Amino acid sequence: MSNTEQLKARRADAVANGVATRGIYAARAENAELWDVDGKRFIDFAVGIAVNNTGHRHPKIMAAVAQQAEAFTHTCFHVAPYEGYVKLAERLNAATPGDFAKKTMLVTTGAEAVENAVKMARAFTGRSGVIAFTGAFHGRTLMGMALCGKVTPYKKAFGAMPPEVVHVPFPNAFHGVTVEQSLSVLDNMFKSSIDPERVAAMIIEPVQGEGGFNIAPPEFLRALRKICDEHGIVLIADEVQAGMARTGKMFAFEHSGVAADLVTMAKGLAGGFPLSAVTGRAEVVDAAPVGGIGGTYAGNPLAVAASHAVLDVIDEENLCTRATEIGDRITARLTDIAARQGMEAIGDVRGLGAMVAFELVTDRDTNAPDTALTQAIVAEAEARGLIILPCGTRANAVRLLPPLTVPMDQLDEALDILEASIEAAINAKGA
């Protein structure tokens, strides 16, 4: 029995079944490469789900964490605050979109950031309603689940969700949902379902992550900004997956030319260390009472040190520009594959920067989902040494999230593996 097989058996006996896992057990990783416990090499196009944008174990990040570990690893910011937290708040205040006074709080996970952003919005407005969007993913906590626009697996079997959370269709040109239709539903909702004067916040991912890498049209985000201003609603940008240079901008909302009131971020913020943040209008962030937000591990010193290094690397290595170059290369290759005869299963190729996905369909007339083919491509790629992940509300999209530091020869190698995997899975289906 291989080391991987042994660990699979142990995992089945010891780990909660609801914790989904793939079949690769990591032993070590470096930049865009990962080796499993049996010594097999993989090119990693998942990077911990957009966490290691700066690659696995970036030397600058590892050095910053080691240096901090020599000083202290934990004091709890509520008990003995430290400069690293304060300085990171200053940097995030400056980095996020919006020409207004900002403040920041640090926590640990993306779900925590979302929860606290909603709490701030409710405290600031004195309202309780929240508007989210179909296909959204905002975490697995109770409020996070309520905000998610997908039932299985995020809400299924978990009972009643918090009240006054409503969903509006996310624009999706591939599936025939226009910006005008989404805005019309929102307008009708204000007339029939929820008084806008009851709405504290509207939360949206500028590029949906789990929902399928669906890109919010810039004109849609501008329209939401206008609606929120008209009704005194706090606009929250969930940048947990799309932020930190992934889309060619530091934050994906920047592509719209308008700013949200609050920005939630996590994943790529600390290069593999658990850290998240809420940054936004000072008066909104400050609306929470003293002691009402925070946490024991919030803004852990090691993660904060890593985050400072991440911000330095993004700037020094021009990772926003590199994200665009990587994304253009991937999109061009996928578009070429999709245009070939026999590749009609690829219904759509979409992306923003190095956040690229392709959607698999049974035919291009109906765009009916081909979930089985999606899983076959993911499995085929894994067998050939490439880590990729499925996504989408219909589980029929493949997302590609290479580190922004991936060497171009490894990027090309990965695209060769991907192309071969797509061909093999389609041929096997037709056999």
Side-chain angles (χ1 to χ4, degrees):
M1 185 181 289
S2 69
N3 293 328
T4 296
E5 290 170 334
Q6 291 178 41
L7 281 170
K8 284 181 179 178
R10 290 170 58 192
R11 178 246 181 273
D13 288 339
V15 179
N17 189 56
V19 179
T21 55
R22 304 204 67 81
I24 301 169
Y25 285 77
R28 63 187 180 92
E30 196 78 26
N31 199 4
E33 297 174 289
L34 181 148
W35 288 264
D36 74 4
V37 290
D38 292 306
K40 182 175 179 178
R41 169 188 176 263
F42 296 85
I43 299 176
D44 190 355
F45 268 31
V47 291
I49 315 181
V51 167
N52 294 309
N53 289 356
T54 48
H56 291 283
R57 301 182 67 255
H58 191 289
K60 186 155 192 170
I61 296 170
M62 300 307 294
V65 172
Q67 182 178 2
Q68 177 59 48
E70 291 296 319
F72 57 90
T73 62
H74 175 77
T75 64
C76 183
F77 191 74
H78 302 300
V79 176
Y82 32 93
E83 183 183 7
Y85 185 123
V86 176
K87 183 179 177 182
L88 184 58
E90 292 169 341
R91 296 182 75 175
L92 295 178
N93 294 342
T96 47
D99 186 18
F100 43 79
K102 303 191 193 91
K103 285 192 175 183
T104 289
M105 74 164 295
L106 302 178
V107 271
T108 309
T109 68
E112 279 185 279
V114 167
E115 293 269 351
N116 281 282
V118 171
K119 287 164 65 175
M120 292 171 186
R122 285 177 163 176
F124 177 72
T125 62
R127 308 171 181 179
S128 52
V130 185
I131 294 171
F133 292 84
T134 58
F137 179 79
H138 298 293
R140 292 180 174 88
T141 54
L142 194 58
M143 176 55 73
M145 285 193 297
L147 295 172
C148 284
K150 182 179 179 181
V151 172
T152 304
Y154 306 121
K155 299 181 181 183
K156 189 174 179 64
F158 295 131
M161 296 293 114
E164 291 195 282
V165 175
V166 295
H167 289 82
V168 173
F170 191 94
N172 189 322
F174 183 63
H175 293 291
V177 182
T178 67
V179 168
E180 291 74 23
Q181 287 171 328
S182 293
L183 294 175
S184 177
V185 171
L186 178 59
D187 183 60
N188 289 333
M189 189 175 288
F190 283 155
K191 293 181 175 68
S192 65
S193 301
I194 187 167
D195 182 351
E197 293 184 5
R198 289 286 302 163
V199 178
M202 185 181 298
I203 184 168
I204 188 168
E205 300 162 278
V207 183
Q208 291 190 324
E210 301 298 312
F213 282 26
N214 305 308
I215 303 164
E219 64 269 25
F220 185 64
L221 296 179
R222 291 192 288 267
L224 296 184
R225 176 71 276 173
K226 182 178 178 181
I227 291 167
C228 287
D229 289 340
E230 288 174 354
H231 296 290
I233 298 169
V234 175
L235 181 58
I236 303 171
D238 185 334
E239 297 265 7
V240 168
Q241 189 162 165
M244 309 313 295
R246 172 56 60 180
T247 68
K249 300 279 189 184
M250 191 66 172
F251 296 98
F253 225 85
E254 294 179 65
H255 293 280
S256 71
V258 294
D261 299 303
L262 298 176
V263 178
T264 63
M265 62 198 91
K267 292 190 182 292
L269 179 60
F273 291 83
L275 185 71
S276 61
V278 183
T279 298
R281 291 185 182 275
E283 62 269 29
V284 180
V285 176
D286 275 349
V290 174
I293 56 177
T296 302
Y297 293 103
N300 172 267
L302 299 179
V304 167
S307 186
H308 281 293
V310 165
L311 295 179
D312 291 341
V313 170
I314 289 173
D315 180 54
E316 293 166 4
E317 299 186 19
N318 299 310
L319 293 191
C320 287
T321 298
R322 204 154 191 284
T324 300
E325 294 170 351
I326 290 169
D328 287 347
R329 201 150 175 166
I330 294 172
T331 302
R333 184 72 169 269
L334 285 172
T335 302
D336 176 67
I337 295 169
R340 295 181 202 162
Q341 188 168 357
M343 292 296 176
E344 292 81 5
I346 301 176
D348 190 36
V349 175
R350 54 183 177 264
L352 194 61
M355 194 171 181
V356 183
F358 59 99
E359 188 162 347
L360 285 307
V361 297
T362 57
D363 66 85
R364 291 181 180 174
D365 292 328
T366 65
N367 288 336
D370 197 332
T371 304
L373 180 60
T374 305
Q375 294 294 339
I377 290 172
V378 171
E380 190 70 37
E382 183 177 307
R384 293 168 183 259
L386 174 64
I387 303 173
I388 55 177
L389 297 172
C391 64
T393 55
R394 307 189 304 168
N396 69 315
V398 174
R399 54 179 151 174
L400 306 176
L401 288 163
L404 307 182
T405 51
V406 59
M408 284 302 182
D409 61 335
Q410 289 181 11
L411 176 63
D412 290 337
E413 180 187 357
L415 293 177
D416 289 341
I417 294 172
L418 179 62
E419 181 174 347
S421 300
I422 294 170
E423 290 177 348
I426 290 176
N427 290 338
K429 178 186 175 184

